C-alpha cells in the first residue's frame, strides 16, 4: 500500500497539513473559545473567524535531551538552618502590583500566552462539530446528479491501469494446463516406459528404444515450453460502473414569532438561533431547502432577507403558522421523498384558546409527517401557555419532538447542540 503525503506549501509559506495537526492538538481550547464567541456575537458577525488564546502552560511539550551523565564529585554544604519537619514560608512577591497572573520581578524574562487566528471556515467547522439532523434517512434518487463508482465485475478488455493480476494469472494457468494436457499425459507415459527399460538388461533393441524415447520426450518438452507463460487473451480487467446513489433530501421549516409580545431582545435571540440553524444546514447538507415563516395574528412565508430583518409585528395566533406549514408540506414536499423538519421560536405567549389547538395540530397533523420538530422558548421568565401544552407532546413523542428554553445569548449555542447533537440513528 502506498501513502501520498502532500507537503506543498500553501499561501504565505504555511502548510495546511501542519495547521490541521495543530488544530487537532488544541481542539479543546478552540472549542471553548468558539462556544464563548457565539454568545457574544451579533447576527452579522456569526460567520467571522476568531482569535484563540492558549495559556502558556498548555503549549509545553515533553522532549528528549541529554542528561548530565558521567561521574561527578559533588560536595553538598551542611544545613544549619532547617530541620526535618520544618514548614517553609512562601516567598513574598515582588514590588509590582500588576493585574497579570504572574508575579513581578526585577530580573528574568518569560513568554506571553500563545494567540492565533482561525478563519471563518475553521470557525464553522468547530461550531458544527458532532451535529446532525435527527432521523435523517435516504429516500430519493436524484437522477443523474449523484453517482457512486462501484466494482462491476471482471471483463476481458480494459486499460492497463485496471488489470486484475490475480485473475489474469489464474486465466493464464488454466490456458497452459488446457493446451498442454495431452502432451503432459503422453510425456508421463513415455517417462514411465523409459524408467521401466532402464531397470532391465540393456540389449541393442532396448537401447534403440531408449534413444527413440529420449528423442520423443525432448520434443514433447519443447512443445510444452513453447506455450507462452501469459498471453493477451489471459488478461482480465476490473470493471467499474456508475450507480445512482439515494440522497437525503430535507426541508427545514423555520417558524418565528414576531408578535407584539416579543420585545426586541427576544426577537434577537430567536434570529440568532435561526441564523445558527441556517448556517448549519447550508454548510453540512447539499440537498436541503429552508422555508421561512413569520407569524403574528397571521402567518406568511417570506424569504431570508425579510425573515431576519423585517420589522412587522402584531397580535399572536401561533396556530396560523402551524397551519401554513401543514399546507406547504401537502403542496410541495411529499413525505415519501423528503425528510421534513421544523423549528419554532416563540416567547410562548399565545391567544387564550389557541394553545390547545396548536398542540393538537402539531401532534396529529405535523409530527406524523416530520422527522423531528424543535421548539425554543425565548422567555427569560416563567414558561407560558404554549410550553405547558407542548410538554405533553414531549412526554409522548420524545424521539421526534424536543424543546428548550433560551434566557440570554450565552444559552443559544448550548441549546442548539442539545437539539441537534448527533444521535446513533442519524445518517
Amino acid at each position: 500500500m502506498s501513502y501520498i503525503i502532500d507537503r506543498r506549501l500553501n499561501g504565505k509559506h504555511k502548510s495546511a497539513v501542519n495547521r490541521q495537526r495543530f488544530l487537532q492538538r488544541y481542539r479543546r481550547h478552540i472549542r471553548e473559545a468558539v462556544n464563548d464567541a457565539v454568545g457574544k456575537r451579533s447576527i452579522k458577525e456569526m460567520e467571522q473567524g476568531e482569535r484563540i488564546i492558549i495559556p502558556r502552560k498548555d503549549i509545553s511539550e515533553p522532549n528528549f535531551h541529554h542528561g548530565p551523565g558521567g561521574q561527578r564529585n559533588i560536595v553538598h554544604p551542611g544545613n544549619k538552618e532547617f530541620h526535618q519537619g520544618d514548614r517553609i514560608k512562601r516567598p513574598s512577591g515582588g514590588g509590582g502590583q500588576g493585574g497579570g497572573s504572574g508575579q513581578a520581578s526585577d530580573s528574568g524574562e518569560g513568554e506571553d500566552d500563545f494567540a492565533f487566528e482561525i478563519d471563518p471556515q475553521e470557525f464553522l467547522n468547530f461550531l458544527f462539530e458532532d451535529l446532525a439532523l435527527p432521523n435523517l434517512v435516504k429516500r430519493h434518487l436524484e437522477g443523474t446528479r449523484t453517482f457512486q463508482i462501484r466494482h462491476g465485475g471482471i471483463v476481458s478488455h480494459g486499460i492497463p491501469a485496471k488489470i486484475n493480476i490475480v485473475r489474469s494469472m489464474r486465466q493464464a494457468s488454466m490456458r497452459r494446463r488446457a493446451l498442454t494436457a495431452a502432451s503432459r499425459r503422453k510425456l508421463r507415459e513415455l517417462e514411465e516406459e523409459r524408467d521401466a527399460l532402464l531397470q532391465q538388461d540393456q540389449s541393442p533393441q532396448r537401447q534403440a528404444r531408449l534413444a527413440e524415447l529420449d528423442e520423443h520426450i525432448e520434443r514433447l518438452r519443447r512443445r510444452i515450453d513453447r506455450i507462452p507463460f501469459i498471453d493477451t487473451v489471459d488478461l482480465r480487467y476490473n470493471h467499474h460502473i456508475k450507480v445512482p446513489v439515494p440522497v437525503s433530501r430535507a426541508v427545514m421549516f423555520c417558524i418565528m414569532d414576531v408578535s407584539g409580545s416579543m420585545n426586541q431582545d427576544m426577537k434577537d435571540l430567536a434570529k440568532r438561533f435561526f441564523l445558527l440553524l441556517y448556517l448549519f444546514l447550508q454548510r453540512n447538507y447539499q440537498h436541503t431547502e429552508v422555508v421561512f415563516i413569520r407569524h403574528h395574528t397571521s402567518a406568511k412565508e417570506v424569504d431570508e432577507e425579510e425573515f431576519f430583518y423585517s420589522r412587522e409585528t402584531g397580535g399572536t395566533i401561533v396556530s396560523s403558522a402551524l397551519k401554513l406549514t401543514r399546507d406547504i408540506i401537502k403542496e410541495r414536499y411529499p413525505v415519501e421523498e423528503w425528510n421534513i423538519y421544523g423549528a419554532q421560536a416563540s416567547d410562548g405567549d399565545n391567544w387564550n384558546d389557541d394553545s390547545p389547538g396548536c398542540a393538537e395540530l402539531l401532534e396529529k397533523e405535523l409530527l406524523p409527517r416530520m422527522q423531528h420538530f424543535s421548539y425554543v422558548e425565548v422567555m427569560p421568565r416563567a414558561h407560558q401557555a404554549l410550553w405547558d401544552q407542548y410538554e405533553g407532546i414531549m412526554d409522548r413523542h420524545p424521539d421526534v419532538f424536543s424543546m428548550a428554553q433560551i434566557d440570554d445569548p450565552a444559552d443559544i449555542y448550548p441549546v442548539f447542540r442539545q437539539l441537534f447533537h448527533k444521535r446513533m440513528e442519524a445518517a
Side-chain angles (χ1 to χ4, degrees):
M1 181 178 294
S2 300
Y3 295 92
I4 299 177
I5 301 177
D6 186 358
R7 299 190 182 278
R8 293 175 297 176
L9 295 179
N10 300 88
K12 298 182 180 179
H13 303 286
K14 296 178 180 178
S15 171
V17 176
N18 290 339
R19 182 170 180 84
Q20 290 303 318
R21 245 186 239 134
F22 174 81
L23 296 179
Q24 183 69 24
R25 179 177 300 172
Y26 297 105
R27 66 185 308 101
R28 180 177 63 84
H29 300 86
I30 300 174
R31 280 285 300 277
E32 292 174 357
V34 169
N35 294 354
D36 295 339
V38 174
K40 301 174 183 177
R41 293 189 175 192
S42 65
I43 293 178
K44 296 181 179 179
E45 297 173 341
M46 197 64 71
E47 292 186 87
Q48 296 181 2
E50 180 63 20
R51 180 178 177 84
I52 309 296
I53 297 178
I54 300 178
R56 181 180 57 189
K57 62 183 180 62
D58 292 333
I59 61 176
S60 60
E61 297 182 357
N63 58 80
F64 292 98
H65 58 85
H66 293 286
Q71 296 182 356
R72 297 185 299 164
N73 296 322
I74 301 176
V75 178
H76 295 280
N79 180 10
K80 299 180 180 181
E81 183 178 356
F82 300 104
H83 300 282
Q84 184 175 359
D86 289 349
R87 292 181 176 272
I88 303 175
K89 293 182 179 181
R90 184 188 299 274
S92 59
Q97 301 297 326
S101 57
Q103 295 182 345
S105 173
D106 60 353
S107 63
E109 60 182 16
E111 295 180 357
D112 291 334
D113 293 340
F114 180 73
F116 66 98
E117 300 279 346
I118 58 174
D119 59 34
Q121 297 298 325
E122 294 169 339
F123 180 84
L124 293 179
N125 286 340
F126 283 97
L127 190 65
F128 300 132
E129 188 179 39
D130 299 328
L131 298 181
L133 289 175
N135 309 322
L136 188 67
V137 295
K138 297 180 180 180
R139 298 185 172 192
H140 189 69
L141 283 174
E142 279 287 304
T144 59
R145 291 197 301 173
T146 306
F147 290 94
Q148 184 177 13
I149 303 299
R150 294 183 180 176
H151 189 264
I154 304 295
V155 295
S156 57
H157 299 282
I159 61 176
K162 292 188 176 184
I163 288 180
N164 188 309
I165 297 178
V166 174
R167 293 295 295 270
S168 299
M169 297 304 294
R170 184 186 304 172
Q171 189 69 24
S173 176
M174 291 189 296
R175 176 185 55 80
R176 291 196 307 273
R177 288 176 179 274
L179 293 178
T180 61
S183 298
R184 290 178 184 276
R185 184 168 56 251
K186 183 64 175 176
L187 179 62
R188 284 194 301 270
E189 295 174 357
L190 296 178
E191 288 177 342
E192 291 174 358
E193 183 180 354
R194 183 187 63 177
D195 293 341
L197 289 176
L198 289 174
Q199 296 177 2
Q200 300 176 10
D201 296 334
Q202 299 299 313
S203 64
Q205 293 83 2
R206 290 193 180 97
Q207 290 181 356
R209 178 57 180 167
L210 282 174
E212 182 180 352
L213 289 175
D214 289 339
E215 183 180 357
H216 199 177
I217 288 173
E218 185 63 26
R219 285 201 307 268
L220 286 176
R221 286 177 176 174
R222 287 198 300 267
R223 181 185 303 174
I224 293 173
D225 292 341
R226 282 198 297 268
I227 301 298
F229 180 76
I230 190 169
D231 201 349
T232 54
V233 297
D234 303 325
L235 297 181
R236 295 295 181 267
Y237 302 86
N238 295 316
H239 182 51
H240 295 89
I241 57 177
K242 294 173 64 176
V243 179
V245 179
V247 296
S248 301
R249 293 206 304 180
V251 55
M252 173 67 74
F253 286 86
C254 297
I255 306 171
M256 183 167 62
D257 185 356
V258 293
S259 60
S261 61
M262 292 272 292
N263 58 37
Q264 191 58 42
D265 291 337
M266 295 179 183
K267 291 180 181 178
D268 185 61
L269 289 177
K271 290 177 182 179
R272 292 169 72 170
F273 172 81
F274 281 121
L275 180 61
L276 204 59
L277 176 58
Y278 182 64
L279 292 175
F280 167 66
L281 295 174
Q282 292 296 314
R283 180 171 181 79
N284 289 36
Y285 298 94
Q286 296 181 351
H287 307 281
T288 303
E289 295 186 10
V290 182
V291 177
F292 297 103
I293 296 178
R294 293 165 56 98
H295 75 88
H296 36 81
T297 54
S298 60
K300 180 174 64 171
E301 182 181 357
V302 297
D303 58 16
E304 175 187 347
E305 183 71 21
E306 186 175 356
F307 182 82
F308 287 107
Y309 301 108
S310 176
R311 303 181 64 85
E312 183 181 3
T313 186
T316 309
I317 299 181
V318 177
S319 62
S320 61
L322 300 181
K323 291 177 181 177
L324 179 58
T325 301
R326 176 199 59 192
D327 296 339
I328 293 176
I329 292 174
K330 290 181 178 179
E331 180 182 353
R332 299 190 335 230
Y333 300 102
V335 177
E336 64 275 6
E337 296 183 6
W338 289 84
N339 294 279
I340 304 174
Y341 295 87
Q344 179 184 4
S346 172
D347 63 346
D349 189 14
N350 195 14
W351 192 253
N352 295 335
D353 301 328
D354 191 54
S355 295
C358 290
E360 181 179 1
L361 181 63
L362 178 62
E363 184 172 17
K364 294 185 178 180
E365 299 198 43
L366 290 182
L367 288 185
R369 295 182 171 92
M370 289 186 166
Q371 303 298 110
H372 196 269
F373 190 93
S374 304
Y375 172 67
V376 176
E377 190 164 286
V378 287
M379 168 59 71
R381 299 182 298 276
H383 297 303
Q384 301 297 310
L386 199 58
W387 180 280
D388 298 334
Q389 294 293 329
Y390 281 176
E391 277 187 321
I393 301 177
M394 179 68 182
D395 295 336
R396 293 187 292 272
H397 308 281
D399 295 335
V400 294
F401 182 81
S402 58
M403 53 196 300
Q405 184 179 16
I406 296 178
D407 295 334
D408 53 60
D411 296 334
I412 295 177
Y413 186 60
V415 167
F416 184 80
R417 293 197 67 89
Q418 172 190 338
L419 296 177
F420 295 101
H421 69 276
K422 186 173 293 186
R423 297 165 172 83
M424 293 299 295
E425 68 271 12

